[in-house]
Amino acid sequence: GDDPCADAAEALCSKACECGNAECSFGGDGSTGTLTFESKADCLTLYNYACSQGGDDANIDWDQCIADTEAAQCVSEALPIPATCDEQ
């Protein structure tokens, strides 16, 4: 798509849903709690809202974020969000 933030949201939510079994879960790195959505649609709603609020930060290499998301291993049925997807 034309919107790399939305593309990353799609990748993150898809992977979180794979990790989370019936739900879509983020977290798993031990330092933060788990963020769980009941559905991929709920996940995308939040992420696309974040994108619209300026989450499509120029500091983020979206292609790298997406690649790292796709390569990430699930931890305790949750997706640890790659550092490359986080605003520094």
Side-chain angles (χ1 to χ4, degrees):
D2 299 334
D3 183 351
C5 189
D7 292 343
E10 174 72 30
L12 285 161
C13 290
S14 293
K15 187 76 174 202
C17 294
E18 283 177 34
C19 290
N21 246 331
E23 298 171 320
C24 305
S25 298
F26 295 98
D29 68 355
S31 65
T32 54
T34 312
L35 177 64
T36 301
F37 297 94
E38 289 182 9
S39 67
K40 184 175 171 186
D42 286 352
C43 177
L44 286 169
T45 296
L46 177 80
Y47 271 86
N48 286 320
Y49 176 76
C51 287
S52 73
Q53 296 300 304
D56 49 352
D57 195 297
N59 293 337
I60 297 177
D61 179 340
W62 293 111
D63 290 335
Q64 191 62 54
C65 165
I66 291 167
D68 289 349
T69 296
E70 289 172 351
Q73 300 295 312
C74 303
V75 178
S76 306
E77 295 192 352
L79 169 66
I81 297 175
T84 47
C85 300
D86 251 336
E87 294 179 58
Q88 301 307 320

